Amino acid sequence: MQKNTRLILALDVLDSDEALRISGDVAGYVDAIKVGYPLILATGLGIITELSKYAPIIADFKVADIPNTNRLICEQVFRAGADAVIIQGFTGHDSLRTCVELAKSSNKDVFVVTEMSHPGALDFMQAAGEAIAKMAADEKASGVVAPATRPERVREIRKIIGNKLTIISPGVGAQGGSASDAIKAGADWVIVGRSIYQAEEPAKAAADIVAYIKTVI
Ligand code: 3DU
């Protein structure tokens, strides 16, 4: 994944024609497209292959199972053409290690969720966030997913993982986070969904975010 615009589109629409149209419109403004359960359950895993002509694809399955099941899931995701997969960190070292080993052998990336961006992440997840970030670094994941809604946590997680891992950061726009604050706090990329795909002109919305990011780098 090339660090160029520093914007990742979260494509949580439910229709394949719409997904392809929006991807074509915004392709010049995004470094990757993140797809997850909503689009894939609605249209099928083949949508990954179709979208991969526009940008690298991150499959956000938040994989959270025993090592063997994690491996089976990641195999399918990579076979479909995804360049990266997002997994949950709370399942521990062995579950993560299995994904990282598979990814490295196929030249793919694994991003590990430390703590999520919504308010409920404070109930249980945040307490484990720093330990998960350390684990992601120890297990040599490609990067972590950290919340743009809490830039101070992005900053803390950056300190823990150093500069070898990247940070992708959701929560910008609809969830209240700011793209520039997340980037200033140490995120490599921001992930934006509704503020782009629900906009009247998705390409303009994406271009505006990219321009905003450029003011702080
Ligand atoms: O709130 P948005 O519409 O910009 O979409 C954010 C996307 O990022 C969405 O796909 C959501 O499932 C994902 N995500 C988070 O919002 C927060 C996380 O901690 C991890 C992933």
PDB file of all heavy atoms in Angstrom, residues 12 23 42 44 57 59 85 94 96-97 99 112 122 129 147 150 157 162 176 188 191 193 202 216:
ATOM      1  N   ASP A  12     -19.003   0.877   2.838  1.00  0.00           N
ATOM      2  CA  ASP A  12     -20.057   0.085   3.487  1.00  0.00           C
ATOM      3  C   ASP A  12     -21.402   0.274   2.791  1.00  0.00           C
ATOM      4  O   ASP A  12     -22.436   0.442   3.448  1.00  0.00           O
ATOM      5  CB  ASP A  12     -20.151   0.468   4.971  1.00  0.00           C
ATOM      6  CG  ASP A  12     -18.895   0.100   5.732  1.00  0.00           C
ATOM      7  OD1 ASP A  12     -18.306  -0.958   5.444  1.00  0.00           O
ATOM      8  OD2 ASP A  12     -18.483   0.866   6.626  1.00  0.00           O
ATOM      9  N   SER A  23     -16.241   3.683  -6.235  1.00  0.00           N
ATOM     10  CA  SER A  23     -14.803   3.367  -6.280  1.00  0.00           C
ATOM     11  C   SER A  23     -14.148   4.004  -7.495  1.00  0.00           C
ATOM     12  O   SER A  23     -13.042   4.551  -7.402  1.00  0.00           O
ATOM     13  CB  SER A  23     -14.588   1.850  -6.294  1.00  0.00           C
ATOM     14  OG  SER A  23     -15.113   1.300  -5.113  1.00  0.00           O
ATOM     15  N   ALA A  42     -23.757  -8.659   1.390  1.00  0.00           N
ATOM     16  CA  ALA A  42     -24.811  -8.268   0.447  1.00  0.00           C
ATOM     17  C   ALA A  42     -24.505  -8.705  -0.982  1.00  0.00           C
ATOM     18  O   ALA A  42     -25.423  -9.000  -1.746  1.00  0.00           O
ATOM     19  CB  ALA A  42     -25.014  -6.748   0.494  1.00  0.00           C
ATOM     20  N   GLY A  44     -21.359 -10.689  -2.029  1.00  0.00           N
ATOM     21  CA  GLY A  44     -20.473 -11.843  -2.239  1.00  0.00           C
ATOM     22  C   GLY A  44     -19.004 -11.451  -2.213  1.00  0.00           C
ATOM     23  O   GLY A  44     -18.644 -10.298  -2.425  1.00  0.00           O
ATOM     24  N   ILE A  57      -7.152  -3.538  -1.722  1.00  0.00           N
ATOM     25  CA  ILE A  57      -8.343  -3.804  -0.917  1.00  0.00           C
ATOM     26  C   ILE A  57      -7.949  -4.316   0.476  1.00  0.00           C
ATOM     27  O   ILE A  57      -7.161  -5.256   0.615  1.00  0.00           O
ATOM     28  CB  ILE A  57      -9.241  -4.869  -1.595  1.00  0.00           C
ATOM     29  CG1 ILE A  57      -9.647  -4.416  -3.006  1.00  0.00           C
ATOM     30  CG2 ILE A  57     -10.462  -5.166  -0.726  1.00  0.00           C
ATOM     31  CD1 ILE A  57     -10.475  -3.140  -3.076  1.00  0.00           C
ATOM     32  N   ALA A  59      -9.611  -6.063   3.642  1.00  0.00           N
ATOM     33  CA  ALA A  59     -10.814  -6.802   4.050  1.00  0.00           C
ATOM     34  C   ALA A  59     -10.981  -6.667   5.562  1.00  0.00           C
ATOM     35  O   ALA A  59     -10.200  -7.210   6.344  1.00  0.00           O
ATOM     36  CB  ALA A  59     -10.691  -8.268   3.650  1.00  0.00           C
ATOM     37  N   VAL A  85      -5.816  -7.766   5.548  1.00  0.00           N
ATOM     38  CA  VAL A  85      -6.964  -8.176   6.354  1.00  0.00           C
ATOM     39  C   VAL A  85      -6.853  -7.501   7.727  1.00  0.00           C
ATOM     40  O   VAL A  85      -5.741  -7.248   8.206  1.00  0.00           O
ATOM     41  CB  VAL A  85      -7.017  -9.723   6.469  1.00  0.00           C
ATOM     42  CG1 VAL A  85      -5.838 -10.283   7.251  1.00  0.00           C
ATOM     43  CG2 VAL A  85      -8.336 -10.201   7.056  1.00  0.00           C
ATOM     44  N   ASP A  94      -1.220 -16.191  19.594  1.00  0.00           N
ATOM     45  CA  ASP A  94      -1.196 -17.322  18.649  1.00  0.00           C
ATOM     46  C   ASP A  94      -2.152 -17.085  17.476  1.00  0.00           C
ATOM     47  O   ASP A  94      -1.826 -17.375  16.317  1.00  0.00           O
ATOM     48  CB  ASP A  94      -1.480 -18.663  19.344  1.00  0.00           C
ATOM     49  CG  ASP A  94      -2.759 -18.664  20.172  1.00  0.00           C
ATOM     50  OD1 ASP A  94      -3.395 -17.597  20.324  1.00  0.00           O
ATOM     51  OD2 ASP A  94      -3.128 -19.749  20.682  1.00  0.00           O
ATOM     52  N   LEU A  96      -3.044 -14.191  16.261  1.00  0.00           N
ATOM     53  CA  LEU A  96      -2.435 -13.166  15.405  1.00  0.00           C
ATOM     54  C   LEU A  96      -1.283 -13.754  14.596  1.00  0.00           C
ATOM     55  O   LEU A  96      -1.161 -13.522  13.390  1.00  0.00           O
ATOM     56  CB  LEU A  96      -1.942 -11.989  16.264  1.00  0.00           C
ATOM     57  CG  LEU A  96      -1.071 -10.953  15.544  1.00  0.00           C
ATOM     58  CD1 LEU A  96      -1.813 -10.336  14.355  1.00  0.00           C
ATOM     59  CD2 LEU A  96      -0.624  -9.858  16.506  1.00  0.00           C
ATOM     60  N   ARG A  97      -0.436 -14.549  15.286  1.00  0.00           N
ATOM     61  CA  ARG A  97       0.774 -15.085  14.624  1.00  0.00           C
ATOM     62  C   ARG A  97       0.398 -15.887  13.365  1.00  0.00           C
ATOM     63  O   ARG A  97       1.047 -15.786  12.337  1.00  0.00           O
ATOM     64  CB  ARG A  97       1.536 -15.968  15.621  1.00  0.00           C
ATOM     65  CG  ARG A  97       2.941 -16.343  15.169  1.00  0.00           C
ATOM     66  CD  ARG A  97       3.669 -17.050  16.288  1.00  0.00           C
ATOM     67  NE  ARG A  97       3.689 -16.265  17.511  1.00  0.00           N
ATOM     68  CZ  ARG A  97       3.542 -16.753  18.750  1.00  0.00           C
ATOM     69  NH1 ARG A  97       3.345 -18.042  18.935  1.00  0.00           N
ATOM     70  NH2 ARG A  97       3.585 -15.959  19.799  1.00  0.00           N
ATOM     71  N   CYS A  99      -2.082 -15.486  11.383  1.00  0.00           N
ATOM     72  CA  CYS A  99      -2.449 -14.576  10.280  1.00  0.00           C
ATOM     73  C   CYS A  99      -1.213 -13.905   9.704  1.00  0.00           C
ATOM     74  O   CYS A  99      -1.090 -13.761   8.479  1.00  0.00           O
ATOM     75  CB  CYS A  99      -3.430 -13.513  10.769  1.00  0.00           C
ATOM     76  SG  CYS A  99      -4.970 -14.179  11.392  1.00  0.00           S
ATOM     77  N   VAL A 112      -4.054  -4.952  12.963  1.00  0.00           N
ATOM     78  CA  VAL A 112      -4.623  -5.456  14.205  1.00  0.00           C
ATOM     79  C   VAL A 112      -5.401  -4.352  14.910  1.00  0.00           C
ATOM     80  O   VAL A 112      -4.851  -3.259  15.149  1.00  0.00           O
ATOM     81  CB  VAL A 112      -3.491  -5.926  15.151  1.00  0.00           C
ATOM     82  CG1 VAL A 112      -4.073  -6.541  16.419  1.00  0.00           C
ATOM     83  CG2 VAL A 112      -2.570  -6.910  14.447  1.00  0.00           C
ATOM     84  N   LEU A 122     -14.713   1.915  25.316  1.00  0.00           N
ATOM     85  CA  LEU A 122     -14.187   2.244  26.650  1.00  0.00           C
ATOM     86  C   LEU A 122     -14.623   1.213  27.685  1.00  0.00           C
ATOM     87  O   LEU A 122     -14.026   1.109  28.760  1.00  0.00           O
ATOM     88  CB  LEU A 122     -14.662   3.642  27.074  1.00  0.00           C
ATOM     89  CG  LEU A 122     -14.281   4.786  26.125  1.00  0.00           C
ATOM     90  CD1 LEU A 122     -14.773   6.126  26.670  1.00  0.00           C
ATOM     91  CD2 LEU A 122     -12.777   4.830  25.900  1.00  0.00           C
ATOM     92  N   GLY A 129      -5.841  -2.073  25.035  1.00  0.00           N
ATOM     93  CA  GLY A 129      -5.321  -1.470  23.806  1.00  0.00           C
ATOM     94  C   GLY A 129      -3.804  -1.393  23.738  1.00  0.00           C
ATOM     95  O   GLY A 129      -3.201  -1.706  22.709  1.00  0.00           O
ATOM     96  N   PRO A 147      -8.154   4.503  17.015  1.00  0.00           N
ATOM     97  CA  PRO A 147      -9.325   5.380  16.838  1.00  0.00           C
ATOM     98  C   PRO A 147      -9.036   6.861  16.597  1.00  0.00           C
ATOM     99  O   PRO A 147      -8.473   7.540  17.451  1.00  0.00           O
ATOM    100  CB  PRO A 147     -10.054   5.215  18.181  1.00  0.00           C
ATOM    101  CG  PRO A 147      -8.975   4.890  19.168  1.00  0.00           C
ATOM    102  CD  PRO A 147      -7.940   4.109  18.416  1.00  0.00           C
ATOM    103  N   ARG A 150     -10.175   9.381  19.166  1.00  0.00           N
ATOM    104  CA  ARG A 150      -9.353   9.640  20.360  1.00  0.00           C
ATOM    105  C   ARG A 150      -7.894   9.797  19.943  1.00  0.00           C
ATOM    106  O   ARG A 150      -7.072   8.887  20.140  1.00  0.00           O
ATOM    107  CB  ARG A 150      -9.480   8.470  21.358  1.00  0.00           C
ATOM    108  CG  ARG A 150     -10.817   8.409  22.035  1.00  0.00           C
ATOM    109  CD  ARG A 150     -10.937   7.223  23.010  1.00  0.00           C
ATOM    110  NE  ARG A 150     -12.249   6.657  22.829  1.00  0.00           N
ATOM    111  CZ  ARG A 150     -12.500   5.530  22.173  1.00  0.00           C
ATOM    112  NH1 ARG A 150     -11.521   4.782  21.705  1.00  0.00           N
ATOM    113  NH2 ARG A 150     -13.731   5.125  22.012  1.00  0.00           N
ATOM    114  N   ILE A 157      -0.404   4.928  21.175  1.00  0.00           N
ATOM    115  CA  ILE A 157      -0.146   3.675  20.451  1.00  0.00           C
ATOM    116  C   ILE A 157       1.070   3.829  19.538  1.00  0.00           C
ATOM    117  O   ILE A 157       1.881   2.916  19.415  1.00  0.00           O
ATOM    118  CB  ILE A 157      -1.431   3.226  19.713  1.00  0.00           C
ATOM    119  CG1 ILE A 157      -2.389   2.647  20.776  1.00  0.00           C
ATOM    120  CG2 ILE A 157      -1.145   2.204  18.626  1.00  0.00           C
ATOM    121  CD1 ILE A 157      -3.825   2.567  20.375  1.00  0.00           C
ATOM    122  N   GLY A 162       6.314   2.231  17.737  1.00  0.00           N
ATOM    123  CA  GLY A 162       7.460   2.803  17.022  1.00  0.00           C
ATOM    124  C   GLY A 162       7.110   3.092  15.571  1.00  0.00           C
ATOM    125  O   GLY A 162       5.935   3.252  15.227  1.00  0.00           O
ATOM    126  N   GLY A 176     -17.215  11.737  14.317  1.00  0.00           N
ATOM    127  CA  GLY A 176     -16.776  12.937  15.042  1.00  0.00           C
ATOM    128  C   GLY A 176     -15.285  13.212  15.031  1.00  0.00           C
ATOM    129  O   GLY A 176     -14.850  14.267  15.482  1.00  0.00           O
ATOM    130  N   ASP A 188      -0.935   7.002   9.920  1.00  0.00           N
ATOM    131  CA  ASP A 188      -0.429   7.049   8.546  1.00  0.00           C
ATOM    132  C   ASP A 188      -1.558   7.280   7.552  1.00  0.00           C
ATOM    133  O   ASP A 188      -1.366   7.929   6.529  1.00  0.00           O
ATOM    134  CB  ASP A 188       0.286   5.730   8.212  1.00  0.00           C
ATOM    135  CG  ASP A 188       1.495   5.523   9.094  1.00  0.00           C
ATOM    136  OD1 ASP A 188       2.537   6.133   8.804  1.00  0.00           O
ATOM    137  OD2 ASP A 188       1.389   4.799  10.104  1.00  0.00           O
ATOM    138  N   ILE A 191      -9.318   6.427   7.769  1.00  0.00           N
ATOM    139  CA  ILE A 191     -10.341   5.628   7.095  1.00  0.00           C
ATOM    140  C   ILE A 191     -11.648   6.409   7.178  1.00  0.00           C
ATOM    141  O   ILE A 191     -12.075   6.778   8.277  1.00  0.00           O
ATOM    142  CB  ILE A 191     -10.521   4.266   7.808  1.00  0.00           C
ATOM    143  CG1 ILE A 191      -9.219   3.470   7.784  1.00  0.00           C
ATOM    144  CG2 ILE A 191     -11.670   3.485   7.187  1.00  0.00           C
ATOM    145  CD1 ILE A 191      -9.253   2.202   8.645  1.00  0.00           C
ATOM    146  N   GLY A 193     -15.736   6.557   5.788  1.00  0.00           N
ATOM    147  CA  GLY A 193     -16.840   5.888   5.107  1.00  0.00           C
ATOM    148  C   GLY A 193     -17.953   6.830   4.736  1.00  0.00           C
ATOM    149  O   GLY A 193     -17.965   7.437   3.661  1.00  0.00           O
ATOM    150  N   PRO A 202     -19.173  12.075  -4.040  1.00  0.00           N
ATOM    151  CA  PRO A 202     -18.125  11.382  -3.282  1.00  0.00           C
ATOM    152  C   PRO A 202     -16.706  11.818  -3.657  1.00  0.00           C
ATOM    153  O   PRO A 202     -15.850  11.973  -2.776  1.00  0.00           O
ATOM    154  CB  PRO A 202     -18.363   9.908  -3.628  1.00  0.00           C
ATOM    155  CG  PRO A 202     -19.823   9.836  -3.935  1.00  0.00           C
ATOM    156  CD  PRO A 202     -20.153  11.132  -4.606  1.00  0.00           C
ATOM    157  N   VAL A 216      -1.573  19.456   7.075  1.00  0.00           N
ATOM    158  CA  VAL A 216      -0.828  19.132   8.307  1.00  0.00           C
ATOM    159  C   VAL A 216       0.365  18.219   8.061  1.00  0.00           C
ATOM    160  O   VAL A 216       1.035  17.784   9.013  1.00  0.00           O
ATOM    161  CB  VAL A 216      -1.749  18.506   9.389  1.00  0.00           C
ATOM    162  CG1 VAL A 216      -2.778  19.507   9.853  1.00  0.00           C
ATOM    163  CG2 VAL A 216      -2.384  17.212   8.914  1.00  0.00           C
TER     164      VAL A 216
END
